[in-house]
Amino acid sequence: NNHNKMQHTYLRYECADSFGLVSSAGTTNATKTLGFLPNNNTLNSSSSILVSTANSQLVGFSLRSDQSPCLKIGHRELLSGGVGTRLALNSHEVICLDIANGNHDSNIEKNTVVKVATGWMDGTVRIFELFASELTESNSSNLGCVHSLIQGSSKTNEDFLTREPLVLKGHTNSPVRSICFDRIANSSTVSGDALVSRLASGGSDGVVIIWDIVAETGLFRLLGHRGPITDLHFCSPSASSLPYTKTSQNFDGLVSSSQDGLVKVWDLAAQCCTQTLAGHKGAVLCSAMASVDGQTKGTRWRCITGCSDGQARVWSIMGPKRLAFNQDKQESIDTEEMTNSSSQDVDVAKSNVNMNDDDVFSFMGVLSPPPNVAASNEKITSIQFQYPSGKFVGVLRANSKNIDLYKVRNKADSLRKMQRRLRRKREKVGKKFTAAATEDEGGKKKGKKRGILEDDDDDDENNKDQNDSEMIKDDLSHDINQTKASDEFQYIGTARASHKVKSFTFAPYREKGGGIRIVCALATNSLEVHSVTKNTAVDTIAQNDETDSYIISKLSSLDMYGHPTGIRSIAISSNDVLACTVSKSMTKIWNVATRSCVRSLPLTTNLLQSSKSKISTFYGLCTAFFPGDSHVIVGTREGHLLIIDIASGDTVYIEENAHEGAIWSLDIKRPTAGETGVSIVTGSADKSVKFWDVERQDEDDEEVIAAGHPMVVHMRTLKTADDVVAVRFSHSLDPTKRMVFVSTLDCQIKVFFDDTLKFFLSLYGHSLPALALDASDDDTILASGGADKTIKIWGLDFGDTHKTLYGHTDSITDLRFVRRTHNFFTSSKDGSVRFWDGDRFEQILSLNGHTAELNCLAVSRTGAFVLSGGMDRQVRVWERTQDIVFIEEEKERALEALFDGADGNRNADKGTASIMRAEGDEEHDDEAENEPQSEAAVRRSVLSVSSGDRIMEAIEKSDQELKDLATFNKSQKGKGEKAKQRMLNPLLLGMEPHQYILWVLRSVKSAELEQSLLVIPLSHIERLLYYLIVLIRSGRGVELCSRVSVFLIKIHQNQVS
């Protein structure tokens, strides 16, 4: 038994990197998934770096350069229990991002910090900091693009990729859907956003949290939405944009839109909601806000909300009248020069104010393209303004390839347009009154229907009885509420992408001649750049009509770096340098070390006999490298075999209709010493296994396609009872002992001898077909993974089942042994890669990080790394590290994760927001009105409780040390020179008691400090305050100590006083 107690150890595999994903916007459905980093030369458009969310990291592309990313930003995976290298790429998914990046000045200093805030699936907000100097060099140095854990690999820019971000945790387990920096508060400072101090994040649970990123803590959370937050914007319209004020007092507000169909305006100073826009007929899926005058302090603020009913509603934003009114009243009281006339004015103002003196938004109309442009009613998924000018707006609908573009007219133009509209309306109203005099009631209705413009039909009722003189009066005094969306926004065209657009953004710079650029993230995992420029040819006509004409054209597309659809198969070359991935109509060859795409080859050819000269596209299902690594072979769903030359990127041979059905699996038999030829086996849905020999194409042959390149020649066929799902050669070097394993749709695995095709064994046991199988190097065991979620290990001597392993929660799609061992990897539709020991029948590791089904994996020759690919279109690189795995520890960590998950869910239910969202909302409506609208941002967690315990322990230790010191000094009194020196206490790390307290306080995370202090009982608080006073007197840690003491006195003011 002693032998069993000895734990077997393994080396840990961890995710080093992932590649092949340009943008994961399609899966996360967030509105902000793209952003531009500033650089020293923002006037030169081409050097800006576009950052996009790509699963576990942010990927940056330089739009002018080659197709590979020039920047990757990710954070390290910290496994619980302190295991692992702590250098691995995280396994979370990033959803949205926002970048605080100066005023796009061309004079960004070298040491300016660019902040990139990201919202993650696990409910955390992470803020990465980059230096402007790094970004300028990035085009040449490729920052953090290759991250490797293998010992001795080059450690270039290691600090950059794994620089730890600031982590803010407040959304329990709900994904952070939207994130926004407060750019407005500091726009007056010289360096623009260098001082952004606040950040808002909105979760899927409808909670909005405001963070102070300088103090690294949450300020408060705002409760009130009952659906996921879709967009957040800080807004600060000055009250001076109102007609009757002279003040410049600003409203400090936040606007949140949510899928519950509401848009709420929050007053951040009062932490409450001051206005709710409830007129949307469905979920509000996005919103955008900007000052359309181009400055952050501009007076024309506009917000556009996109709704699932397909309408883009435009709102004008004003400072609340209450602000202006209070200020006015204050001034008048101060000066005490109120004449009767002015007091009457104030009364008039007051009567206007009383109704909605907190309202910030007023409705302006709906944004719609002109009648001659085909309009869609699809829901709107994204609206963006062009920053920093606010002069252009783009509107994107669901499942659409088109982005509608609008230009904002300046004040004078929109005023002119409005006056023309009112004049036309007045003429029509005049006609209508004359018609009404002569006709009966029915005629009037007809007149109304025919006469009013579409944009104004809702206002018509109110205006119908007004007489002309009133209208003229309105016309002359430009009342802001009279301006309609159609007066301010002019449709300029539609940008048409080549595929469905999932997300888009405007480049932050203008082209020569005032043009702009739009970057779209497409559903095909690629980026496209479109340019919008003024059409100078029709300039003269445009002058008369007040409408500019624009030309919209596609400039470039970045589609080499990523597969357009899920990856079906992956293979590694024999020297571990190249990898080949295959998807629906594309084969890509990658350099594994640099994570860059070397060749992108569409699976198309015009070599088919059946359809001469017509180009046919194929769906690749399986692939392998030929020995020598110069060619790859691909099996397709149409039943063809294609041979592709890597150097030229051409299809050099096609075996047409090699099978009548889809070729699900192929394997290559490596030549042994005795044999020279290479042979291939293919298994297909046409119920046959075919064996092929690889030969060189002969120049003399007339039908030859590419002389000197390989071709395949059909040798033998093995018929089976059902469709073949997987086929594999065994590894034996003796040709007489080499076997072929065939798995069929009837859940059987049959074993044949390769030389004679004589039947050897039939393996029963799977309840659904075995989709993957592989034999160990020594041919003693065969492992198979089935659609029944089980792995079976078979002995190849007698075909007995050694063991059935459980662990995956969905079909197993691929299985590969590590060479020279009995350990193997499996991939599954549950999105995980697992590592198993085939001798001890145990799961060693579960590797997570993919966000969709996994289809395939490949293990390198030495087992140093594993590549996995799936429907999320990324390839993850798992590398073997020097860290040792103990299976018992892994089991404990898995259980811990389960408990944490359950615990998190239980705690999440106790928030006020969830009480408001409780079932039977109708009954609780009265109570809900009295619910608080805000609460503390950071909830109590296991971490904050343990930090509180640490502080208490430190206080007790320090008290004990002071007592011991007093006793010691007493005992040494009067000894004169014989008095001993007391040793420093190692429990206090050799520090003085008050220094030790400061050291412990500093070790508590800033965001959790307040929660930790709430745990401490009153008796300890008294002592803590004593130490804080000592520290402040000695001038140590003054900022932290004053923060702690102010907080404690605030909380315990009754007891202290």
Side-chain angles (χ1 to χ4, degrees):
N1 269 356
N2 291 348
H3 150 80
N4 287 346
K5 281 178 187 161
M6 169 88 182
Q7 274 201 354
H8 193 74
T9 57
Y10 310 84
L11 289 178
R12 181 181 301 281
Y13 281 81
E14 289 190 321
C15 182
D17 211 342
S18 87
F19 59 84
L21 199 56
V22 176
S23 164
S24 52
T27 53
T28 55
N29 294 333
T31 52
K32 288 185 196 163
T33 59
L34 299 169
F36 275 90
L37 291 176
N39 58 356
N40 281 11
N41 194 358
T42 34
L43 302 176
N44 170 5
S45 57
S46 54
S47 55
S48 276
I49 296 175
L50 175 85
V51 178
S52 114
T53 58
N55 200 47
S56 297
Q57 53 196 5
L58 301 176
V59 183
F61 292 92
S62 165
L63 291 179
R64 63 162 182 202
S65 73
D66 50 317
Q67 301 259 345
S68 287
C70 60
L71 162 79
K72 285 184 181 175
I73 310 170
H75 63 273
R76 294 182 263 203
E77 179 82 277
L78 299 176
L79 297 173
S80 60
V83 294
T85 57
R86 310 207 142 226
L87 293 172
L89 182 67
N90 65 84
S91 57
H92 310 124
E93 184 179 8
V94 61
I95 299 179
C96 55
L97 61 88
D98 193 21
I99 299 171
N101 51 2
N103 280 340
H104 299 292
D105 290 338
S106 50
N107 57 358
I108 291 183
E109 295 132 38
K110 284 277 187 191
N111 54 0
T112 308
V113 175
V114 178
K115 288 188 158 70
V116 182
T118 51
W120 294 74
M121 205 71 174
D122 60 352
T124 50
V125 172
R126 292 184 171 87
I127 301 172
F128 297 90
E129 293 191 343
L130 315 179
F131 295 102
S133 53
E134 290 174 324
L135 300 176
T136 50
E137 298 149 14
S138 66
N139 291 335
S140 53
S141 68
N142 289 355
L143 285 174
C145 274
V146 181
H147 182 221
S148 176
L149 305 171
I150 294 177
Q151 292 292 309
S153 60
S154 59
K155 290 267 186 272
T156 51
N157 276 314
E158 185 60 37
D159 166 56
F160 175 81
L161 180 106
T162 50
R163 189 181 298 148
E164 281 308 289
L166 163 62
V167 181
L168 303 170
K169 289 186 177 171
H171 300 274
T172 34
N173 286 340
S174 65
V176 179
R177 288 287 306 273
S178 177
I179 197 159
C180 177
F181 277 113
D182 180 8
R183 293 184 173 74
I184 297 157
N186 302 303
S187 51
S188 54
T189 56
V190 185
S191 54
D193 280 359
L195 298 172
V196 278
S197 62
R198 288 192 306 182
L199 176 81
S201 62
S204 298
D205 53 358
V207 171
V208 178
I209 301 185
I210 310 292
W211 304 92
D212 178 342
I213 53 183
V214 178
E216 305 184 2
T217 64
L219 297 171
F220 47 87
R221 59 177 65 209
L222 300 169
L223 313 168
H225 281 294
R226 300 179 181 206
I229 306 290
T230 52
D231 254 325
L232 295 168
H233 309 278
F234 283 93
C235 75
S236 174
S238 62
S240 59
S241 53
L242 288 161
Y244 58 84
T245 66
K246 309 180 283 294
T247 81
S248 62
Q249 184 181 2
N250 278 13
F251 169 68
D252 182 15
L254 177 81
V255 178
S256 59
S257 60
S258 163
Q259 286 189 16
D260 58 8
L262 302 178
V263 175
K264 284 182 180 280
V265 183
W266 305 87
D267 182 341
L268 296 181
Q271 298 184 18
C272 64
C273 174
T274 61
Q275 187 182 0
T276 301
L277 311 177
H280 299 90
K281 299 185 178 74
V284 183
L285 299 176
C286 56
S287 58
M289 179 184 301
S291 162
V292 292
D293 294 332
Q295 320 95 22
T296 35
K297 295 280 188 239
T299 52
R300 283 199 305 164
W301 281 83
R302 298 290 176 264
C303 178
I304 306 177
T305 54
C307 182
S308 56
D309 66 357
Q311 289 198 317
R313 295 170 172 79
V314 183
W315 308 80
S316 137
I317 308 172
M318 292 287 166
K321 298 178 183 170
R322 169 174 49 85
L323 273 183
F325 183 64
N326 290 351
Q327 191 108 347
D328 257 17
K329 209 158 66 172
Q330 194 59 44
E331 280 172 18
S332 51
I333 290 168
D334 288 350
T335 52
E336 290 180 355
E337 291 173 356
M338 281 177 70
T339 60
N340 287 341
S341 62
S342 72
S343 70
Q344 276 172 354
D345 284 349
V346 173
D347 285 342
V348 172
K350 207 168 190 174
S351 64
N352 290 345
V353 164
N354 276 351
M355 269 303 288
N356 293 330
D357 52 0
D358 277 332
D359 279 6
V360 180
F361 275 57
S362 53
F363 184 58
M364 286 179 65
V366 174
L367 212 56
S368 51
N372 59 348
V373 177
S376 145
N377 278 342
E378 276 283 350
K379 58 188 181 188
I380 296 174
T381 53
S382 181
I383 298 176
Q384 305 285 346
F385 273 101
Q386 197 254 340
Y387 286 112
S389 72
K391 286 283 180 237
F392 293 90
V393 184
V395 176
L396 169 68
R397 296 175 184 275
N399 305 321
S400 164
K401 297 181 182 181
N402 302 338
I403 299 170
D404 293 336
L405 297 171
Y406 297 86
K407 183 182 179 223
V408 185
R409 295 187 174 95
N410 60 28
K411 264 187 180 161
D413 285 352
S414 47
L415 191 61
R416 223 173 296 136
K417 181 95 165 70
M418 182 191 81
Q419 287 166 341
R420 273 172 44 204
R421 177 171 59 82
L422 288 177
R423 200 179 313 124
R424 283 207 303 273
K425 180 183 253 187
R426 204 174 312 125
E427 286 164 11
K428 288 194 171 147
V429 171
K431 277 183 198 165
K432 202 168 87 176
F433 277 129
T434 53
T438 55
E439 284 184 33
D440 63 338
E441 201 71 14
K444 189 195 275 188
K445 273 181 190 157
K446 264 184 229 156
K448 168 187 183 245
K449 240 179 201 166
R450 217 176 29 251
I452 301 305
L453 289 168
E454 289 168 353
D455 201 26
D456 319 304
D457 47 9
D458 47 353
D459 278 36
D460 182 47
E461 298 294 330
N462 319 338
N463 293 341
K464 146 169 97 179
D465 300 324
Q466 286 185 333
N467 55 28
D468 278 1
S469 63
E470 257 180 77
M471 280 204 147
I472 294 162
K473 227 184 277 173
D474 279 350
D475 217 6
L476 297 174
S477 67
H478 166 50
D479 176 10
I480 199 81
N481 296 333
Q482 288 275 317
T483 320
K484 280 302 187 52
S486 57
D487 302 338
E488 275 192 6
F489 293 89
Q490 166 205 339
Y491 172 80
I492 57 169
T494 297
R496 292 184 165 80
S498 51
H499 291 280
K500 281 183 193 168
V501 182
K502 285 295 184 184
S503 172
F504 75 99
T505 186
F506 286 96
Y509 45 78
R510 303 294 282 268
E511 288 185 30
K512 286 172 191 155
I516 51 169
R517 287 194 179 177
I518 308 168
V519 183
C520 323
L522 306 185
T524 56
N525 190 19
S526 57
L527 299 172
E528 264 184 16
V529 185
H530 291 258
S531 126
V532 182
T533 48
K534 230 177 220 175
N535 188 352
T536 46
V538 292
D539 218 350
T540 47
I541 315 162
Q543 291 300 319
N544 318 333
D545 200 27
E546 289 181 13
T547 53
D548 301 329
S549 163
Y550 284 83
I551 300 171
I552 302 173
S553 56
K554 176 176 150 188
L555 285 182
S556 62
S557 68
L558 269 140
D559 52 6
M560 179 164 164
Y561 184 67
H563 275 284
T565 54
I567 296 169
R568 298 301 305 243
S569 173
I570 193 164
I572 300 179
S573 63
S574 59
N575 56 4
D576 289 352
V577 173
L578 298 175
C580 171
T581 54
V582 174
S583 73
K584 185 174 178 180
S585 54
M586 192 68 73
T587 300
K588 287 183 192 286
I589 310 289
W590 304 85
N591 179 329
V592 179
T594 63
R595 325 272 191 240
S596 56
C597 183
V598 186
R599 282 260 179 273
S600 182
L601 318 164
L603 288 177
T604 56
T605 182
N606 51 6
L607 304 173
L608 279 188
Q609 303 297 320
S610 52
S611 56
K612 259 294 190 213
S613 77
K614 259 184 31 195
I615 289 191
S616 324
T617 312
F618 307 118
Y619 194 133
L621 292 177
C622 48
T623 182
F625 277 91
F626 276 141
D629 301 331
S630 58
H631 294 78
V632 291
I633 182 164
V634 177
T636 70
R637 194 165 70 179
E638 293 75 16
H640 311 307
L641 283 172
L642 277 67
I643 298 177
I644 297 169
D645 176 25
I646 294 173
S648 68
D650 297 333
T651 302
V652 291
Y653 182 77
I654 176 164
E655 179 67 35
E656 208 179 322
N657 298 327
H659 283 276
E660 277 134 45
I663 300 175
W664 287 115
S665 178
L666 64 80
D667 195 20
I668 290 189
K669 175 170 70 182
R670 307 281 165 192
T672 56
E675 305 166 308
T676 49
V678 177
S679 62
I680 295 174
V681 60
T682 56
S684 161
D686 64 1
K687 305 187 182 178
S688 69
V689 176
K690 290 189 179 178
F691 295 82
W692 312 79
D693 276 3
V694 177
E695 296 180 3
R696 189 171 289 279
Q697 297 184 31
D698 199 358
E699 290 176 23
D700 309 334
D701 193 349
E702 291 152 23
E703 291 189 4
V704 74
I705 297 166
H709 289 289
M711 57 186 278
V712 293
V713 181
H714 179 217
M715 303 306 282
R716 311 174 283 174
T717 304
L718 176 68
K719 286 281 179 206
T720 57
D722 215 328
D723 293 16
V724 177
V725 187
V727 57
R728 250 307 169 275
F729 279 120
S730 75
H731 301 279
S732 170
L733 297 178
D734 181 351
T736 57
K737 290 186 181 162
R738 186 180 289 130
M739 294 173 276
V740 180
F741 310 108
V742 179
S743 165
T744 51
L745 211 55
D746 54 11
C747 311
Q748 289 189 38
I749 299 169
K750 292 205 164 83
V751 185
F752 300 89
F753 285 109
D754 172 38
D755 50 356
T756 58
L757 292 190
K758 199 171 122 202
F759 173 73
F760 174 45
L761 289 170
S762 184
L763 311 174
Y764 291 95
H766 281 289
S767 54
L768 288 167
L771 305 177
L773 31 100
D774 197 10
S776 61
D777 275 13
D778 53 11
D779 281 354
T780 53
I781 58 173
L782 173 78
S784 63
D788 55 5
K789 312 176 199 173
T790 63
I791 298 161
K792 289 192 181 287
I793 296 176
W794 317 83
L796 284 178
D797 299 332
F798 309 106
D800 52 326
T801 309
H802 284 189
K803 190 77 172 171
T804 303
L805 301 174
Y806 302 91
H808 282 293
T809 54
D810 208 334
S811 307
I812 291 158
T813 51
D814 208 350
L815 183 151
R816 296 288 157 120
F817 271 93
V818 179
R819 298 260 176 108
R820 300 191 191 78
T821 69
H822 282 184
N823 302 342
F824 59 91
F825 284 92
T826 55
S827 66
S828 159
K829 285 189 178 176
D830 63 12
S832 68
V833 174
R834 293 178 192 240
F835 186 32
W836 307 82
D837 183 334
D839 287 337
R840 290 175 184 73
F841 314 126
E842 283 188 304
Q843 176 182 312
I844 305 166
L845 282 175
S846 172
L847 306 170
N848 300 306
H850 281 279
T851 54
E853 301 179 356
L854 276 180
N855 289 330
C856 51
L857 54 80
V859 180
S860 73
R861 190 171 44 100
T862 56
F865 64 88
V866 179
L867 303 180
S868 59
M871 299 312 279
D872 56 3
R873 305 180 247 195
Q874 64 167 330
V875 178
R876 278 196 167 239
V877 186
W878 309 93
E879 290 181 350
R880 187 167 58 204
T881 64
Q882 300 298 304
D883 191 58
I884 293 175
V885 180
F886 296 97
I887 290 184
E888 290 305 313
E889 269 183 28
E890 287 303 306
K891 286 180 183 163
E892 276 171 30
R893 283 187 42 244
L895 279 174
E896 252 171 55
L898 269 176
F899 287 139
D900 279 0
D903 204 33
N905 294 341
R906 202 173 309 124
N907 289 349
D909 291 345
K910 295 197 177 134
T912 333
S914 55
I915 299 169
M916 293 171 70
R917 248 177 275 110
E919 289 304 316
D921 285 326
E922 291 74 20
E923 301 162 26
H924 298 302
D925 266 0
D926 305 338
E927 297 164 35
E929 275 180 22
N930 305 326
E931 287 286 355
Q933 293 193 340
S934 70
E935 61 182 26
V938 181
R939 295 248 176 89
R940 194 177 76 191
S941 67
V942 181
L943 230 78
S944 61
V945 173
S946 66
S947 307
D949 288 345
R950 280 215 326 275
I951 297 173
M952 288 196 286
E953 199 181 332
I955 295 170
E956 284 161 12
K957 278 184 193 168
S958 305
D959 284 356
Q960 190 56 47
E961 173 67 3
L962 286 179
K963 275 182 199 158
D964 293 352
L965 192 63
T967 321
F968 179 78
N969 289 344
K970 214 179 206 175
S971 68
Q972 297 300 321
K973 220 180 210 174
K975 288 197 178 174
E977 295 198 353
K978 289 183 182 171
K980 293 177 187 168
Q981 273 298 98
R982 186 162 186 269
M983 290 274 295
L984 291 171
N985 189 346
L987 285 177
L988 303 189
L989 308 181
M991 299 184 202
E992 294 286 312
H994 58 275
Q995 284 174 311
Y996 180 65
I997 295 277
L998 180 60
W999 182 81
V1000 171
L1001 285 174
R1002 278 185 174 145
S1003 71
V1004 179
K1005 270 195 182 160
S1006 183
E1008 285 170 344
L1009 183 59
E1010 296 187 349
Q1011 288 291 326
S1012 311
L1013 293 171
L1014 289 175
V1015 181
I1016 303 175
L1018 200 63
S1019 55
H1020 286 66
I1021 299 270
E1022 216 172 312
R1023 296 299 301 153
L1024 181 54
L1025 285 170
Y1026 161 75
Y1027 290 115
L1028 291 171
I1029 292 165
V1030 174
L1031 284 165
I1032 291 172
R1033 277 189 184 146
S1034 63
R1036 287 200 171 118
V1038 174
E1039 191 186 339
L1040 178 64
C1041 294
S1042 19
R1043 184 182 155 195
V1044 173
S1045 39
V1046 167
F1047 177 76
L1048 290 175
I1049 288 166
K1050 234 197 277 183
I1051 294 294
H1052 300 284
Q1053 52 188 352
N1054 295 347
Q1055 291 86 337
V1056 172
S1057 55

